[in-house]
Amino acid sequence: MSTSDILRVEDLRIRYEKGRSIWGIPRYGDVVHGVSFSVKQGETFGLVGESGSGKSTIGKAILRQIPVIGGTITFDGQRITDWPDGQTPLSYRRAVQVVFQSPRLSLNARMLARDTVAEAVAFHLGYKGSQLDGHVAQLFDDVGLPRHFGERYPDELSGGQQQRVAIARALACDPKLVICDEAVSALDVSTQAQVIALLRRLQQERGLSYVFISHDLGVVRNLCHSVGVLQHGRFTDLGSTQSVFERPKSQYTRDLLSAIPRVPGKAA
């Protein structure tokens, strides 16, 4: 494994149970078919594809939320697919965090924004009292939220503000890798741009790596260093963002690229 790779996925295969026969025998459907890619330290890898392509399934496998049937996932030199199912070290859960699509659903509506972030800090770092308060305040500063917003409930915040709280929560334990699962797709265009700028700034400041899962190639082109285009659990294109967007190999990728909205009068 290259020292510049924080994550390496090799020949990953995943299947789901689709039901059972009248005799109770499970029926399976393969979802991911031998996918391989790597994520460099401090860079963003984009997983792109239509709904059902397998991109979120790969994210769940990296987070160890679902079992895999073949292949390996190596994180920071450790082959995490060697660990028994259901047994994930706390050190890994600290190092790999996630930001979900809908901040409104991922945040506890009954908890103040400050308490949502504080809970993660206290659990992972064990901070209490003034040390906890100071760390939470710094996280609010880091994601561009006024500290007094911490005294609001999620429903009292805009979608972009909610997502900033979710990002602050993900940063609570100083992770190395963040899985962004459609993290801006529920936001309006102007708020998307602000959150993307935030993610880029945090990456530069903290050396973060991202796996950015999205169906929006325009967003991916703006944020990602490399990209894999998924169709039915297989890559149709894989490489640097520039090479995939400028020299796509498959008709599927060309069709996706042709669907990106163009601004009238603006050169492609």
Side-chain angles (χ1 to χ4, degrees):
M1 179 175 177
S2 169
T3 56
S4 63
D5 290 337
I6 189 69
L7 179 75
R8 182 174 289 276
V9 176
E10 297 176 285
D11 195 29
L12 185 67
R13 288 173 285 127
I14 304 170
R15 64 171 48 162
Y16 286 140
E17 184 175 326
K18 299 178 65 176
R20 292 178 178 266
S21 70
I22 58 174
W23 297 281
I25 300 173
R27 294 195 181 104
Y28 295 97
D30 291 343
V31 180
V32 176
H33 310 266
V35 165
S36 300
F37 65 92
S38 61
V39 183
K40 294 187 179 300
Q41 178 69 50
E43 293 193 357
T44 302
F45 178 82
L47 270 175
V48 182
E50 297 174 324
S51 178
S53 62
K55 57 188 186 298
S56 291
T57 297
I58 294 171
K60 290 177 181 178
I62 297 169
L63 291 165
R64 290 185 54 79
Q65 294 177 343
I66 57 173
V68 304
I69 62 166
T72 60
I73 302 173
T74 305
F75 173 77
D76 204 16
Q78 299 182 76
R79 195 155 71 175
I80 69 170
T81 39
D82 287 346
W83 299 337
D85 290 342
Q87 298 183 29
T88 303
L90 183 58
S91 59
Y92 184 76
R93 291 161 57 194
R94 289 173 179 155
V96 181
Q97 288 288 305
V98 60
V99 177
F100 295 103
Q101 174 179 357
S102 173
R104 190 170 185 274
L105 295 178
S106 69
L107 300 176
N108 188 331
R110 297 184 178 183
M111 291 181 68
L112 295 173
R114 177 209 173 276
D115 293 340
T116 293
V117 178
E119 182 181 58
V121 174
F123 177 78
H124 287 290
L125 303 181
Y127 291 173
K128 299 178 181 178
S130 60
Q131 187 181 29
L132 175 61
D133 292 340
H135 196 75
V136 171
Q138 183 59 56
L139 286 168
F140 270 69
D141 292 345
D142 291 346
V143 299
L145 273 179
R147 295 183 181 185
H148 68 268
F149 278 30
E151 304 305 317
R152 298 182 182 182
Y153 290 97
D155 284 347
E156 298 175 312
L157 301 171
S158 68
Q161 291 164 353
Q162 291 173 358
Q163 197 63 297
R164 288 173 188 266
V165 173
I167 293 170
R169 180 179 59 185
L171 298 178
C173 50
D174 196 21
K176 296 181 179 180
L177 174 69
V178 179
I179 310 296
C180 299
D181 192 354
E182 298 280 8
V184 300
S185 65
L187 306 175
D188 62 65
V189 174
S190 62
T191 306
Q192 277 188 6
Q194 294 169 15
V195 174
I196 289 170
L198 170 64
L199 292 172
R200 187 181 291 113
R201 174 174 63 78
L202 291 170
Q203 184 172 65
Q204 294 171 348
E205 293 174 352
R206 293 170 171 257
L208 288 169
S209 303
Y210 298 127
V211 173
F212 193 83
I213 299 169
S214 180
H215 65 277
D216 189 328
L217 273 77
V219 171
V220 166
R221 186 171 196 170
N222 192 27
L223 181 66
C224 299
H225 299 85
S226 54
V227 61
V229 182
L230 278 169
Q231 183 185 32
H232 304 314
R234 294 184 174 88
F235 281 135
T236 61
D237 277 271
L238 177 68
S240 71
T241 302
Q242 181 177 1
S243 65
V244 169
F245 275 74
E246 295 182 0
R247 297 179 297 279
K249 297 178 181 178
S250 72
Q251 184 59 48
Y252 176 73
T253 302
R254 288 192 287 271
D255 290 342
L256 289 180
L257 291 172
S258 67
I260 298 177
R262 307 287 184 182
V263 177
K266 184 177 180 179

Coordinates of all heavy atoms in Angstrom, one line a residue, residues 146-178:
P146 N -22.0 30.9 14.1 CA -21.9 31.7 15.4 C -22.2 30.8 16.6 O -23.0 29.9 16.6 CB -23.0 32.7 15.2 CG -23.2 32.8 13.7 CD -23.0 31.4 13.2
R147 N -21.4 31.0 17.6 CA -21.5 30.1 18.8 C -22.9 30.1 19.4 O -23.3 29.0 19.9 CB -20.4 30.5 19.8 CG -19.0 30.3 19.3 CD -18.0 30.6 20.4 NE -16.6 30.5 19.9 CZ -15.5 30.6 20.7 NH1 -15.7 30.9 22.0 NH2 -14.3 30.4 20.2
H148 N -23.6 31.2 19.4 CA -24.9 31.2 20.0 C -25.9 30.4 19.3 O -27.0 30.1 19.8 CB -25.4 32.7 20.1 CG -25.7 33.3 18.8 ND1 -24.8 34.1 18.1 CD2 -26.9 33.4 18.1 CE1 -25.4 34.6 17.0 NE2 -26.6 34.1 17.0
F149 N -25.6 29.9 18.0 CA -26.5 29.0 17.3 C -26.5 27.7 18.0 O -27.4 26.9 17.8 CB -26.0 28.8 15.9 CG -26.5 29.9 14.9 CD1 -26.7 31.2 15.4 CD2 -26.7 29.7 13.6 CE1 -27.1 32.2 14.6 CE2 -27.1 30.7 12.7 CZ -27.3 32.0 13.2
G150 N -25.6 27.4 18.9 CA -25.6 26.2 19.6 C -26.7 26.0 20.6 O -27.1 24.9 21.0
E151 N -27.4 27.1 20.9 CA -28.5 27.1 21.8 C -29.9 27.0 21.0 O -30.9 27.2 21.6 CB -28.6 28.4 22.6 CG -27.3 28.7 23.4 CD -27.0 27.5 24.3 OE1 -27.9 27.0 24.9 OE2 -25.8 27.1 24.3
R152 N -29.8 26.6 19.7 CA -31.0 26.4 18.9 C -31.2 24.9 18.6 O -30.2 24.1 18.6 CB -30.9 27.1 17.6 CG -30.7 28.7 17.7 CD -30.7 29.3 16.4 NE -30.5 30.8 16.5 CZ -30.5 31.6 15.5 NH1 -30.6 31.2 14.3 NH2 -30.3 32.9 15.7
Y153 N -32.4 24.5 18.4 CA -32.8 23.2 18.0 C -32.6 23.1 16.5 O -32.7 24.1 15.8 CB -34.2 22.8 18.4 CG -34.3 22.6 19.9 CD1 -34.8 23.7 20.7 CD2 -34.0 21.4 20.5 CE1 -34.9 23.5 22.1 CE2 -34.1 21.3 21.9 CZ -34.5 22.3 22.7 OH -34.6 22.1 24.1
P154 N -32.5 21.9 15.9 CA -32.3 21.8 14.5 C -33.4 22.5 13.7 O -33.1 23.1 12.6 CB -32.3 20.2 14.3 CG -31.8 19.7 15.5 CD -32.3 20.6 16.6
D155 N -34.6 22.4 14.1 CA -35.7 23.0 13.3 C -35.7 24.5 13.3 O -36.4 25.2 12.6 CB -37.1 22.6 13.9 CG -37.4 21.1 13.5 OD1 -36.8 20.6 12.6 OD2 -38.4 20.6 14.0
E156 N -34.8 25.1 14.2 CA -34.6 26.5 14.2 C -33.5 27.0 13.4 O -33.1 28.2 13.4 CB -34.4 27.0 15.7 CG -35.6 26.7 16.6 CD -35.3 27.0 18.1 OE1 -34.2 26.6 18.6 OE2 -36.1 27.7 18.7
L157 N -32.9 26.0 12.7 CA -31.7 26.3 11.8 C -32.1 26.1 10.3 O -33.0 25.2 10.0 CB -30.5 25.5 12.2 CG -30.0 25.6 13.6 CD1 -29.0 24.5 13.9 CD2 -29.4 27.0 13.8
S158 N -31.4 26.7 9.4 CA -31.6 26.5 8.0 C -31.0 25.1 7.6 O -30.2 24.6 8.4 CB -31.0 27.6 7.2 OG -29.6 27.6 7.3
G159 N -31.2 24.6 6.4 CA -30.6 23.4 6.0 C -29.1 23.5 6.0 O -28.4 22.5 6.4
G160 N -28.6 24.6 5.5 CA -27.1 24.7 5.5 C -26.5 24.8 6.9 O -25.5 24.2 7.1
Q161 N -27.2 25.4 7.8 CA -26.7 25.5 9.2 C -26.8 24.1 9.8 O -25.9 23.8 10.6 CB -27.6 26.5 9.9 CG -27.3 28.0 9.5 CD -28.4 28.9 10.0 OE1 -29.4 28.5 10.5 NE2 -28.2 30.2 9.7
Q162 N -27.9 23.4 9.6 CA -28.0 22.1 10.1 C -26.8 21.2 9.6 O -26.2 20.4 10.4 CB -29.3 21.4 9.7 CG -30.5 22.0 10.3 CD -31.8 21.5 9.7 OE1 -31.8 20.7 8.8 NE2 -33.0 21.9 10.2
Q163 N -26.5 21.3 8.3 CA -25.4 20.5 7.8 C -24.1 20.9 8.4 O -23.2 20.1 8.6 CB -25.4 20.6 6.3 CG -24.6 19.5 5.6 CD -25.1 18.1 5.8 OE1 -25.2 17.6 7.0 NE2 -25.5 17.4 4.8
R164 N -23.9 22.2 8.7 CA -22.7 22.6 9.4 C -22.6 22.0 10.8 O -21.5 21.6 11.3 CB -22.6 24.1 9.5 CG -22.3 24.8 8.1 CD -22.4 26.3 8.2 NE -22.4 26.9 6.9 CZ -21.2 27.4 6.3 NH1 -20.1 27.3 7.0 NH2 -21.3 27.9 5.1
V165 N -23.7 21.9 11.5 CA -23.7 21.2 12.8 C -23.3 19.7 12.6 O -22.5 19.2 13.4 CB -25.1 21.3 13.5 CG1 -25.1 20.4 14.7 CG2 -25.4 22.7 13.8
A166 N -23.9 19.1 11.6 CA -23.5 17.7 11.3 C -22.0 17.5 11.0 O -21.4 16.5 11.4 CB -24.4 17.1 10.1
I167 N -21.5 18.5 10.3 CA -20.0 18.4 9.9 C -19.2 18.6 11.2 O -18.2 17.9 11.4 CB -19.7 19.5 8.9 CG1 -20.3 19.1 7.5 CG2 -18.2 19.6 8.7 CD1 -20.3 20.2 6.5
A168 N -19.6 19.6 12.1 CA -19.0 19.8 13.3 C -19.0 18.5 14.2 O -18.0 18.1 14.8 CB -19.6 20.9 14.1
R169 N -20.1 17.8 14.2 CA -20.2 16.5 14.9 C -19.2 15.5 14.3 O -18.5 14.8 15.1 CB -21.6 16.0 14.9 CG -21.8 14.7 15.6 CD -23.2 14.2 15.5 NE -23.7 14.0 14.2 CZ -25.0 13.7 13.8 NH1 -25.9 13.6 14.8 NH2 -25.3 13.6 12.6
A170 N -19.1 15.5 13.0 CA -18.2 14.5 12.4 C -16.7 14.8 12.7 O -15.9 13.9 12.8 CB -18.4 14.5 10.9
L171 N -16.4 16.1 12.9 CA -15.1 16.6 13.2 C -14.7 16.4 14.7 O -13.6 16.7 15.1 CB -14.9 18.0 12.8 CG -15.0 18.3 11.3 CD1 -14.9 19.8 11.1 CD2 -14.0 17.5 10.5
A172 N -15.7 16.1 15.5 CA -15.5 16.1 17.0 C -14.3 15.3 17.5 O -13.7 15.6 18.4 CB -16.8 15.6 17.7
C173 N -14.0 14.2 16.8 CA -13.0 13.3 17.2 C -11.8 13.4 16.3 O -10.9 12.4 16.3 CB -13.5 11.9 17.3 SG -14.4 11.3 15.9
D174 N -11.6 14.4 15.5 CA -10.5 14.7 14.6 C -10.2 13.5 13.7 O -9.2 12.9 13.7 CB -9.2 15.0 15.5 CG -8.1 15.6 14.7 OD1 -8.4 16.2 13.6 OD2 -7.0 15.5 15.1
P175 N -11.2 13.2 12.8 CA -11.1 12.0 11.9 C -10.0 12.2 10.9 O -9.6 13.4 10.6 CB -12.5 11.9 11.3 CG -13.0 13.3 11.3 CD -12.4 13.9 12.6
K176 N -9.6 11.1 10.2 CA -8.7 11.2 9.1 C -9.5 11.1 7.7 O -9.0 11.6 6.7 CB -7.7 10.1 9.1 CG -6.8 10.1 10.3 CD -5.8 9.0 10.3 CE -4.8 9.0 11.5 NZ -3.8 7.9 11.4
L177 N -10.6 10.4 7.8 CA -11.4 10.2 6.6 C -12.9 10.5 6.9 O -13.4 10.1 8.0 CB -11.3 8.8 6.1 CG -12.2 8.3 4.9 CD1 -11.7 9.0 3.6 CD2 -12.1 6.8 4.8
V178 N -13.6 11.2 6.0 CA -15.0 11.5 6.2 C -15.7 11.0 4.9 O -15.4 11.3 3.8 CB -15.3 13.0 6.4 CG1 -16.8 13.2 6.5 CG2 -14.6 13.5 7.7

